[in-house]
Amino acid sequence: NMLSPSSPFDVIIITSPDQKAAIAVRELIISSCGDFSSSSQHTDDSSSQTLRSTDGTIFISSCDPYGARLGSGGGTIAALAEAHEAYYNHSNDISSNSTEEEPTVLICHAGGESSRCPTQITLGKAWTSLPSSNDVVLNPTSLLISTLSIIFSDIPRGSVVVAASDVLLSFHCNSLPKKKIQFDDANNNSNGVFGLAVPAPLVTAKNHGVFVVNDDDNSDNNNNDNGWKLQSTFKVLQKPSVNEMMSMTNPPCVFNTTTTTTNNAKDGDDITTMAWIDTGVITFLPDAVETLREMSNAVLKNCTRVGLMELYLEKHGDDDGSQSSEEEFAKGIAPKICLYGDMLHALQTTSSSSSSSSNDTNLFGALSKHELKTCIIPEGSFVHLGTTGELVDFLVAGGSATYNNDDGSGDLQQTKIQSFAKSIGISSKSNAFVSGFRGGDGDDSTSLVVLNSILIGNGRDKSSSIGEGTVIEHCTIPFTGGSGVDNGKIIVGKRCLLSGIRGDLKGRDLCVPSEMCLQVLPLRQGGGGFVCLCFGVNDGIKEATTLYGMDINQVLERSGLTASDLWDESIPLSRRTLWNAKLNPIMMCADEDTKYPEPELNFSFLEWIQSLRDDVQLDACALQGLRQWKESKRIAVCDIRECVDSEAEAKYRSTISSVEVHQLSLAADCLLGQKNEPCSFGHLAGVCNLNAFKDNAAIKRAFKTLDNICYEAVDEGRFHILGRTFMVLSELLLTLWCSNNDKPQPFAADLPSALTSESIAQVIATRDKMLSEEKYSSCCQLLESMSSMATQRCIYEEKGHSFVYTDPLPLDTTAIATAPARIDLAGGWSDCPPISFENGGAVACLAVLLDGKRPLRAQCRVVRGMSGIRLCTESRSLSDETLLCSSETAIQTLADLDSFNNPESECALLKCALVWLGLCPVDCIQDDDWKMQSIQPFLQKFCQREGENDVGLEIISSSLLPTGSGMGSSSILAGCIIASIAKCVGVVLDGMDANYQRSTSGRTETNGTNSLVHGVLMVEQLLTSGGGWQDQIGGLVGGLKLATSDMNILPLQTKTRRFELSADTVNNLNERLILVDTGKPRLAKNILRNVLRRWACRSSDIVATVRELVSEASNAIDYATKGDLNGLGACMGKYWVLKKTMAGESSGVEPDNINQVLQLLTSSKKIAGGTLCGAGGGGFLALMATEGTSRADMESAVKVSEGGNEDFKWHNCAVAEDGLLIDVK
C-alpha cells in the first residue's frame, strides 16, 4: 500500500489508452495503489472500474469515452466529469467528507502507446515495474500517488491535480521533516492554476515543457524548510531548443547549479546549466475547477461520456439503428486537446497580453481569467524513461552501487540516477527468487536486477549464468519437465531485458545474446498462443537503422533475409521501421486447457542472431533457427496492443506469488545458511490432487529449488546440508502424498555408492520417475535413504578408517562381551544425527541391571577346520534365559553380505559389525563382478590367518530383552558384538577395558573414531536404522554419565563424563527405580524417521524442544549427584513430555494405557515421575517411586485399574557400576 493513510484526495482516477487496458490495470491498482483489504469492490460499468479503498478513497480505472482519443486536455475534462459522478454516486457511503463541497481529485494519465519502449506497450509505461528496497514491486503510478499525497496534504478542498504517470518524479519526500506545498494566502487557496517544476539539464529540458519564472523568483529564495511556495510565471515553452532557452535573458530561462562529484581520476565540482522543467503535474484550484466543469457542460461537452451520449441522441434520436455507432460518432466529433499546450497557453502569465483575458470567442477563453503560477522545487528530480535502453540502465544503475554502463555517460549522470533511485527506494531485487545460476564474467549479482520473478537454473553443472547489467522481470523460468528431464542451460548476456518468460524449457537451452530484449506476452483468444518480442536494447524502434544491435543491412545480407521477409509490400519504403516490421514470432500454447496457459518455449531462433553477433558463419543449428524464425507466423510491434491480452498478462504477473517467493527464499537461506529456523512450503498446502507433481508449477519449482541446493551442497562437501535437504524433500512429498491418500508401496531402488553430482542427478531422475508413476511412498523412502547416506558422511572421514591391531586370540578361544541395559533419564533425541551435530546434544543416562542380570551378550571365536562365517542371533527369557527364538545364516560369498544394510534381513547387525571392522570393502559387496567371490580370502586376512589353513568365524549374539524394549538393547548389543569380534581377531578399540572406564570417572573423555562408542554409531548408520549415540554410551560405560556432542563439529565427535554416586544414592536408586515391560514393542526407526523429518523442517516447537532436552540433561545429573531422587523423578516426567512433543501427536508414541498408568500413579503420589525408555511407543517404562512406595504397591495399583495392562511385567532395577565386560574362554 503506497497511499498515505491521510490522503487529501477523495477520488483518484487513473486513465489508460483504451478500455482493455483500463480493465487490465484494475488488479495493479488493487495490488499497488491503496489498501483494499477490507473494502467493497465493485464495477460501475463496462468501461469504468470503480473501487473503494479502506480509507474511503474512490479509485477509478478509466479511459477516454467511446474509444475517442481526446488528448491529455480532453482526457482531463472526461476524467473530471467521471470523478464528479462517481463521488456523488457514492455519497451515501461517505461519512468523513461533506458532499456539499466538491471532491478533491487526482487524475493520473497513463500516457501513450510507449512505442520507443515496446516492453511497456501492453500495460503502459505508467505501470513499469520497479523493484523496491522493501521487497515490493512498485510502479510510477503508485509512486506518484504516494508522493503527491504527501506534498499536497494541505491542498484546498475541491482542487484537481492532474499528473502524467508515465514519468518518475522525486521531491525527496522521504526526508524529514517532510516538505509540502504551502497554501498560505486566501488567493492561493481558491484561484488559479499552477504547475510543478524541477531543475533539469538543457539536454533533457529540450524534449519537454519549460517554465520561465520572473527574474526575482528564478531561485530558491522563496523556499524554506517548511515547504514550497507558488510563484508567478513569465512564460511556458514547449520543447524549446537549447539556443531558445539560452537566448532568453529578461527574465532568464536558464540558471547554473553546482554538483560535487567524486571521480577515480579527480575530485571537483561540476557546473551544470539547468532549466525549470514541467513535471506534468498541473493543479487547478477550486475556482479554476469550476471553470473546467462549466466548460465540460458547454464548449467541451463533446469530451465527456454523458455529453457525447446527449449529442449522439440529439442527432440520431430514435432512428432504426442504421446510423453510426456511439463509438464511430464519438471518434468523429471528439476534439483532441493538449493540456500542456492548448490549455496552459490559454492561462494568464506575466508575459501574456491583458486583452486575452476577455477573449470569450476562443475555445479556451474561459480559462484566460485564471493565472498560471509555478511551484519550483529545487531539490526535485525528473526521469523520463523513453527507451528500453534508458529503462535498463536506470534500473541497473539505480539498484547497484557498482554498475557502470560503458557508454561514455560519465560518473555525473550515474550519480544522479543512483541518487534519484535511492530517493524513491529502488533496489536490485524485489519479490524475486534466484537459484542455480552462477555470476557471469565475475559478476557478483550486485548489477543484476530481478523483480517479480522465480528463476531456477540447472544447479547440477553450474552452466546457467546471467550477465551484469541485466534486468529480469515477471519471469518464471524454468522448472523440470518431469521424468528425469533436466533443464537446459540458461545463459543471458550482459545488459539484457527479459520479461514475461514463463513455462518449461523441457531440456532446451535458452541463450540470449548481450544487449537483447526478450519478452513473452499472451495473445487474445484465437491469436495462436503467445508472442515473443525480440529486439536489441539500443534498437531505435521508430527507425530501421539497427536490428538486434547490428546494422540492419548487414543482418539482411548475412542472413539471406530480404525486406519482404520483414515488411508488407503495402508499407512504403520511407515508412518502414522496426515499429511495423514483422519481427516477433508467435509461440503456441503448451497446454491450452490449464487455468494459466504457458507457451511452448523454444528459443532456438536466437542461434542465428548469436552467430551474426559473434561474426561467425551460420552453422547447422543457426540455420535451423533461422528457418524456424522465417517460417513462423510473426507480428509487428505496432500490432502488439491490439493482439495481446493485457488483462491475462496482468493476472499472470499477480500469480507470481510473493508468498511463494518468500517461502523459496527462506528455504534456500535456511538450508544453505545452516539455520535452526523453519523450512516449510506452506504455499503448497492447498495442493490435493493425485497428479500434483505433474501439473502444479509451484511444486515443480519447490522441488527444483531443493535439487539445486543438493547440487551445491555435494559440490562443496557440505553433507550435513545435503542430508537435511533430502529430508525436507521427503517431508514435502509426504505432505502431498498424505493429502493424495496414496497407499504405501515397497521400496526397491538401488542407492549410489558415493555422493557426487552425478549420483545426485541419478537419484533425482529416479525420484521423478517414481513420481510420474505415483509411487509416493517409495519416493519418500528413497529420499530418506539418501539423507541417511549424507548423515553417514558427517560421522566418518571419506578416506575411511584404519584400525590398530594386536595379536588375535588363539584358535577356538571364545571372547564373550556382556553389558548392562541403560535408562535415558533426560536429553534423548538430541543425540540422534543430524540433530546431535546441527544443534549439539546432551543426554543423562544410567547403566542398569534387570533383576540382577546383564541382559546383553555376544561371543565370537575363530574355529579351526571350518570355513566361512556362521552368524546367529538369539532371544532368551530374562527370567531363566531359556531360548525363545533364534536366527542363523552362513556367509560363504560376498553376495551373502549384500543385505547388510537392510534391518529386516537375517543377522543384519552382525553383518554390519563385520563390514565396519573391515572384513571386506563395501564396494566389493555391491559390485556385481565381485559378489560371487568366496569370502574365505577376506576372512583369512581379517582373522590375521593369511597363509594358514582355512578357518571359520562363529559369532552369536544374545539378548534377554524383548525387541523394542527401548533400553538401548540394539546399540548396546552392537557394542558387545563389535567388542567380541575385535577381541577375537586382534582389533584394538578404545573403551573395551572396564578398568579404563572406571579410571576416567569425573573427567570428560572424547570418544574418537577408534572408539567402541563411535563404532556402534557407524554400524547403525550402515544398517540405515539411524539412531544416536546415547544407547551405547549408556550401556557400555557403567554408572551415571553425561554424554554430549558439539554443534557444527564434523565428523561427529561425542564426549562422555562419568559421575560417581554416593553409596546411599545408589541404594536409594536400587530401591526406588522400577522397570515395567509394557508388552508393546515399537521399532524406534518408525518414530525416528518422523522426528528427523520434523527436525529437518525446523518447526519452532521442535527447535525449542531440542534446546530444552539438552538443558534438562544437566539438570538430571545435578539431581542425581545430589541424591535428590524426587527432583530426578520430576525431571524424568518432564523428559517424557518433551519426548512426546518430538515424536508428534499422531506418532503413537504414548499408547492410551501407558498414559492412564502414568496419570494413575502420579495422581496417587506413588511416583515422582516416569518415562517410557528410548523413543517410546511401547517397550519398558522407567518409574521413580516416591519415598516409601514399593514395587508391590505400584503393581497392585495398576492391576486393579482398567486399561489393558494385563501384559505388564515388573522388574527390579539396579545401578550397574560396570559397563562392557569381556571374558575370554
Side-chain angles (χ1 to χ4, degrees):
N1 176 21
M2 296 303 301
L3 188 61
S4 168
S6 56
S7 172
F9 303 111
D10 301 304
V11 182
I12 298 176
I13 183 165
I14 302 169
T15 69
S16 295
D18 54 43
Q19 180 180 328
K20 294 184 179 69
I23 295 173
V25 302
R26 182 178 188 272
E27 291 297 322
L28 298 174
I29 293 173
I30 294 173
S31 63
S32 67
C33 294
D35 182 4
F36 300 90
S37 57
S38 59
S39 65
S40 58
Q41 303 169 14
H42 62 277
T43 302
D44 283 336
D45 56 57
S46 60
S47 64
S48 172
Q49 304 288 315
T50 304
L51 307 163
R52 282 285 299 279
S53 67
T54 55
D55 69 350
T57 304
I58 300 170
F59 282 79
I60 305 172
S61 177
S62 185
C63 61
D64 291 347
Y66 301 112
R69 302 302 291 268
L70 300 173
S72 56
T76 296
I77 298 295
L80 179 59
E82 190 168 2
H84 186 272
E85 179 183 1
Y87 180 75
Y88 285 100
N89 285 342
H90 288 78
S91 60
N92 293 332
D93 300 328
I94 298 172
S95 58
S96 60
N97 300 318
S98 171
T99 56
E100 294 179 359
E101 297 180 295
E102 294 296 339
T104 304
V105 179
L106 171 62
I107 300 172
C108 298
H109 291 308
E113 57 190 3
S114 307
S115 59
R116 295 192 303 140
C117 192
T119 58
Q120 307 307 315
I121 285 179
T122 306
L123 298 173
K125 282 188 289 187
W127 302 101
T128 299
S129 297
L130 305 171
S132 73
S133 54
N134 59 357
D135 205 32
V136 174
V137 178
L138 305 177
N139 52 66
T141 301
S142 64
L143 285 169
L144 186 67
I145 293 173
S146 176
T147 301
L148 297 184
S149 294
I150 295 172
I151 68 171
F152 282 100
S153 60
D154 292 338
I155 190 172
R157 183 162 182 76
S159 299
V160 172
V161 179
V162 185
S165 57
D166 61 346
V167 298
L168 290 172
L169 300 176
S170 173
F171 304 121
H172 295 273
C173 295
N174 295 327
S175 61
L176 294 174
K178 295 183 183 299
K179 285 189 175 184
K180 52 191 177 182
I181 299 171
Q182 293 183 333
F183 300 92
D184 54 2
D185 66 62
N187 187 49
N188 281 344
N189 280 342
S190 62
N191 188 27
V193 180
F194 68 90
L196 295 189
V198 298
L202 301 190
V203 67
T204 302
K206 69 182 179 66
N207 297 317
H208 301 276
V210 171
F211 286 101
V212 183
V213 298
N214 289 329
D215 194 22
D216 56 343
D217 291 331
N218 201 23
S219 68
D220 60 356
N221 293 332
N222 291 328
N223 294 283
N224 55 50
D225 291 337
N226 296 321
W228 309 289
K229 292 184 177 180
L230 308 186
Q231 302 175 178
S232 58
T233 304
F234 177 77
K235 194 174 186 180
V236 180
L237 306 177
Q238 283 299 319
K239 296 186 178 181
S241 67
V242 172
N243 288 336
E244 184 181 356
M245 288 184 281
M246 294 292 291
S247 63
M248 287 195 66
T249 58
N250 189 25
C253 176
V254 302
F255 54 95
N256 293 328
T257 61
T258 302
T259 304
T260 302
T261 62
T262 300
N263 188 287
N264 292 333
K266 63 177 182 177
D267 293 339
D269 293 338
D270 288 309
I271 297 176
T272 307
T273 302
M274 312 284 271
W276 295 114
I277 194 172
D278 177 8
T279 62
V281 180
I282 305 297
T283 302
F284 294 85
L285 293 171
D287 285 355
V289 174
E290 183 59 31
T291 299
L292 292 181
R293 288 199 175 95
E294 291 171 357
M295 294 171 65
S296 70
N297 292 320
V299 295
L300 295 181
K301 183 177 183 178
N302 53 354
C303 289
T304 68
R305 177 174 298 278
V306 173
L308 283 168
M309 179 53 68
E310 289 179 357
L311 293 172
Y312 177 79
L313 293 176
E314 286 175 6
K315 179 176 181 180
H316 296 288
D318 296 325
D319 287 354
D320 59 4
S322 60
Q323 74 279 357
S324 62
S325 66
E326 292 96 329
E327 287 78 7
E328 293 170 335
F329 175 79
K331 291 177 181 179
I333 71 164
K336 189 169 185 178
I337 302 169
C338 178
L339 169 66
Y340 306 102
D342 301 325
M343 297 178 75
L344 284 193
H345 283 106
L347 297 166
Q348 286 186 32
T349 63
T350 58
S351 66
S352 60
S353 62
S354 60
S355 59
S356 65
S357 62
S358 59
N359 184 8
D360 294 330
T361 60
N362 188 293
L363 182 63
F364 306 106
L367 288 174
S368 62
K369 64 184 177 182
H370 299 289
E371 181 183 1
L372 175 62
K373 291 196 171 186
T374 306
C375 179
I376 61 173
I377 304 179
E379 55 267 75
S381 304
F382 174 99
V383 172
H384 182 263
L385 304 175
T387 68
T388 302
E390 289 172 351
L391 172 62
V392 170
D393 291 340
F394 171 77
L395 292 176
V396 175
S400 169
T402 59
Y403 176 71
N404 187 11
N405 176 28
D406 299 327
D407 63 356
S409 59
D411 288 346
L412 177 59
Q413 180 64 16
Q414 182 166 321
T415 299
K416 290 180 178 178
I417 289 176
Q418 291 173 343
S419 175
F420 180 92
K422 183 179 180 181
S423 71
I424 62 174
I426 297 296
S427 70
S428 61
K429 188 177 180 183
S430 187
N431 193 43
F433 175 74
V434 181
S435 168
F437 287 81
R438 59 178 172 81
D441 296 324
D443 176 41
D444 61 1
S445 81
T446 58
S447 59
L448 170 68
V449 174
V450 186
L451 62 148
N452 202 40
S453 296
I454 300 175
L455 310 178
I456 305 176
N458 184 0
R460 176 184 174 185
D461 56 12
K462 305 295 186 298
S463 60
S464 296
S465 65
I466 303 174
E468 64 178 357
T470 286
V471 175
I472 297 180
E473 62 172 16
H474 315 304
C475 292
T476 51
I477 56 175
F479 40 78
T480 62
S483 302
V485 176
D486 222 340
N487 296 324
K489 63 178 179 289
I490 303 170
I491 300 178
V492 182
K494 295 181 179 181
R495 198 168 172 256
C496 291
L497 172 60
L498 269 61
S499 180
I501 299 177
R502 67 208 79 176
D504 196 338
L505 286 174
K506 296 183 179 179
R508 292 184 285 258
D509 293 342
L510 170 58
C511 299
V512 184
S514 292
E515 299 196 329
M516 288 287 290
C517 176
L518 204 65
Q519 183 180 37
V520 174
L521 294 168
L523 297 173
R524 296 197 177 110
Q525 283 191 344
F530 293 77
V531 61
C532 178
L533 273 69
C534 181
F535 54 91
V537 167
N538 293 325
D539 286 347
I541 302 301
K542 288 302 185 73
E543 304 170 351
T545 307
T546 62
L547 177 60
Y548 309 132
M550 299 171 284
D551 181 274
I552 192 168
N553 293 320
Q554 292 185 10
V555 172
L556 295 176
E557 180 182 349
R558 295 189 55 208
S559 65
L561 295 172
T562 63
S564 61
D565 293 316
L566 304 185
W567 291 282
D568 288 333
E569 296 295 336
S570 60
I571 301 175
L573 292 177
S574 61
R575 293 185 55 215
R576 293 183 179 183
T577 64
L578 300 191
W579 174 251
N580 51 33
K582 295 180 294 183
L583 297 172
N584 309 292
I586 289 177
M587 294 178 166
M588 302 305 295
C589 287
D591 185 357
E592 295 187 8
D593 296 330
T594 60
K595 183 177 181 181
Y596 296 105
E598 294 172 345
E600 184 70 37
L601 294 182
N602 188 343
F603 295 101
S604 59
F605 68 86
L606 293 172
E607 293 267 2
W608 70 273
I609 299 174
Q610 182 68 67
S611 295
L612 294 183
R613 293 282 291 272
D614 293 341
D615 197 20
V616 298
Q617 190 73 27
L618 273 63
D619 59 16
C621 291
L623 289 172
Q624 181 181 356
L626 177 59
R627 283 193 297 271
Q628 174 201 335
W629 181 89
K630 189 174 180 179
E631 294 169 2
S632 66
K633 182 179 179 181
R634 288 169 277 116
I635 60 177
V637 174
C638 63
D639 297 322
I640 292 295
R641 184 182 291 280
E642 291 300 318
C643 296
V644 166
D645 190 336
S646 54
E647 185 176 5
E649 176 63 13
K651 287 182 178 178
Y652 158 71
R653 295 181 183 185
S654 68
T655 64
I656 304 177
S657 165
S658 60
V659 175
E660 180 182 3
V661 169
H662 182 67
Q663 293 278 15
L664 294 179
S665 300
L666 278 183
D669 183 57
C670 185
L671 292 170
L672 293 172
Q674 306 174 55
K675 296 180 179 178
N676 277 355
E677 296 175 0
C679 180
S680 63
F681 295 86
H683 64 291
L684 301 177
V687 179
C688 296
N689 64 306
L690 281 172
N691 295 316
F693 185 81
K694 300 175 184 177
D695 298 337
N696 190 282
I699 291 177
K700 291 182 178 182
R701 288 192 288 264
F703 270 69
K704 188 61 183 175
T705 297
L706 294 172
D707 292 348
N708 283 344
I709 294 172
C710 287
Y711 286 128
E712 183 171 343
V714 76
D715 286 345
E716 296 176 359
R718 303 167 75 186
F719 297 105
H720 51 303
I721 294 175
L722 180 65
R724 181 182 178 187
T725 306
F726 270 122
M727 195 58 82
V728 168
L729 273 165
S730 175
E731 175 65 17
L732 172 58
L733 180 57
L734 186 64
T735 302
L736 300 170
W737 163 46
C738 287
S739 66
N740 291 328
N741 298 314
D742 179 42
K743 295 180 179 179
Q745 303 105 358
F747 172 60
D750 293 330
L751 297 177
S753 58
L755 294 174
T756 63
S757 290
E758 290 73 21
S759 66
I760 298 299
Q762 292 171 3
V763 168
I764 289 173
T766 302
R767 177 203 67 193
D768 291 350
K769 184 175 185 296
M770 288 179 172
L771 292 174
S772 68
E773 297 170 353
E774 299 181 12
K775 295 180 179 179
Y776 303 118
S777 175
S778 297
C779 194
C780 284
Q781 295 178 64
L782 169 67
L783 297 170
E784 289 169 12
S785 296
M786 291 302 299
S787 178
S788 178
M789 280 189 67
T791 299
Q792 288 180 38
R793 284 298 313 275
C794 299
I795 296 173
Y796 66 87
E797 296 279 2
E798 183 180 11
K799 61 184 180 183
H801 182 67
S802 58
F803 294 100
V804 176
Y805 293 88
T806 187
D807 293 336
L809 294 180
L811 295 177
D812 298 320
T813 302
T814 302
I816 304 172
T818 61
R822 71 94 184 92
I823 297 175
D824 50 320
L825 302 172
W829 284 123
S830 73
D831 65 303
C832 293
I835 301 175
S836 55
F837 56 74
E838 290 178 341
N839 179 84
V843 183
C845 44
L846 184 68
V848 295
L849 305 176
L850 275 76
D851 297 336
K853 296 180 179 179
R854 300 166 64 83
L856 302 164
R857 180 179 66 196
Q859 63 184 52
C860 178
R861 65 174 179 144
V862 177
V863 184
R864 191 192 316 270
M866 175 183 163
S867 64
I869 304 171
R870 174 179 175 263
L871 304 178
C872 179
T873 61
E874 300 176 342
S875 177
R876 295 181 176 271
S877 168
L878 179 61
S879 58
D880 57 8
E881 300 190 23
T882 56
L883 183 66
L884 301 177
C885 63
S886 65
S887 176
E888 186 172 329
T889 189
I891 307 297
Q892 296 295 336
T893 66
L894 293 181
D896 296 327
L897 287 171
D898 194 29
S899 61
F900 74 91
N901 57 359
N902 179 5
E904 307 299 326
S905 69
E906 300 285 347
C907 305
L909 192 60
L910 282 71
K911 294 175 184 177
C912 281
L914 287 168
V915 171
W916 181 73
L917 284 167
L919 171 64
C920 57
V922 174
D923 291 347
C924 293
I925 297 173
Q926 298 174 336
D927 191 326
D928 291 338
D929 294 334
W930 278 83
K931 280 187 176 180
M932 299 315 297
Q933 292 289 323
S934 171
I935 197 68
Q936 200 61 38
F938 297 97
L939 180 60
Q940 294 293 129
K941 181 178 181 181
F942 181 66
C943 296
Q944 300 190 58
R945 301 289 176 176
E946 286 181 290
E948 300 181 14
N949 293 332
D950 285 357
V951 295
L953 189 66
E954 181 184 75
I955 309 169
I956 302 171
S957 66
S958 300
S959 174
L960 306 183
L961 298 174
T963 302
S965 68
M967 298 195 70
S969 56
S970 176
S971 299
I972 300 170
L973 189 59
C976 293
I977 294 168
I978 294 170
S980 64
I981 297 172
K983 184 70 174 179
C984 191
V985 301
V987 175
V988 178
L989 296 176
D990 297 334
M992 289 172 53
D993 187 340
N995 292 327
Y996 172 79
Q997 291 182 21
R998 288 184 176 235
S999 68
T1000 61
S1001 179
R1003 70 173 188 260
T1004 301
E1005 293 293 325
T1006 299
N1007 302 307
T1009 55
N1010 196 56
S1011 68
L1012 181 60
V1013 167
H1014 191 80
V1016 175
L1017 187 61
M1018 285 306 308
V1019 165
E1020 291 193 325
Q1021 296 302 314
L1022 288 173
L1023 192 60
T1024 71
S1025 59
W1029 36 255
Q1030 61 127 325
D1031 293 347
Q1032 55 266 38
I1033 293 177
L1036 299 178
V1037 180
L1040 177 70
K1041 290 86 51 182
L1042 179 65
T1044 60
S1045 63
D1046 293 329
M1047 180 172 63
N1048 294 332
I1049 300 297
L1050 298 175
L1052 172 68
Q1053 196 173 79
T1054 62
K1055 299 176 182 178
T1056 306
R1057 183 177 181 183
R1058 180 171 172 171
F1059 292 84
E1060 290 296 330
L1061 298 173
S1062 68
D1064 288 342
T1065 299
V1066 171
N1067 290 334
N1068 288 334
L1069 278 170
N1070 292 344
E1071 291 179 3
R1072 295 176 57 180
L1073 196 55
I1074 306 298
L1075 286 169
V1076 186
D1077 181 1
T1078 65
K1080 294 182 179 293
R1082 178 65 180 250
L1083 181 61
K1085 184 176 180 179
N1086 296 339
I1087 301 176
L1088 174 65
R1089 283 186 169 175
N1090 184 43
V1091 169
L1092 293 185
R1093 278 194 297 266
R1094 296 179 68 233
W1095 169 252
C1097 293
R1098 298 295 201 278
S1099 62
S1100 56
D1101 61 329
I1102 203 167
V1103 172
T1105 302
V1106 167
R1107 290 171 179 165
E1108 197 167 2
L1109 283 167
V1110 171
S1111 64
E1112 280 297 306
S1114 296
N1115 292 338
I1117 294 293
D1118 288 342
Y1119 285 124
T1121 53
K1122 293 175 182 177
D1124 183 355
L1125 299 193
N1126 288 336
L1128 180 59
C1131 217
M1132 293 167 63
K1134 184 176 182 180
Y1135 177 36
W1136 177 235
V1137 173
L1138 296 175
K1139 280 186 182 181
K1140 290 187 290 183
T1141 302
M1142 288 293 289
E1145 294 180 1
S1146 60
S1147 63
V1149 68
E1150 184 180 55
D1152 290 341
N1153 66 325
I1154 303 297
N1155 176 269
Q1156 294 168 6
V1157 166
L1158 286 173
Q1159 288 188 7
L1160 169 68
L1161 296 177
T1162 301
S1163 62
S1164 62
K1165 300 188 183 307
K1166 287 184 169 53
I1167 62 171
T1171 177
L1172 276 175
C1173 296
F1180 276 66
L1181 186 62
L1183 303 172
M1184 181 65 71
T1186 54
E1187 193 168 359
T1189 300
S1190 66
R1191 163 185 156 182
D1193 294 334
M1194 288 189 284
E1195 194 169 352
S1196 298
V1198 172
K1199 277 186 178 180
V1200 298
S1201 67
E1202 298 180 359
N1205 305 315
E1206 300 83 4
D1207 295 332
F1208 275 24
K1209 296 177 182 178
W1210 298 73
H1211 299 276
N1212 291 325
C1213 177
V1215 176
E1217 296 290 350
D1218 291 323
L1220 178 76
L1221 294 176
I1222 300 177
D1223 190 20
V1224 177
K1225 293 184 179 179

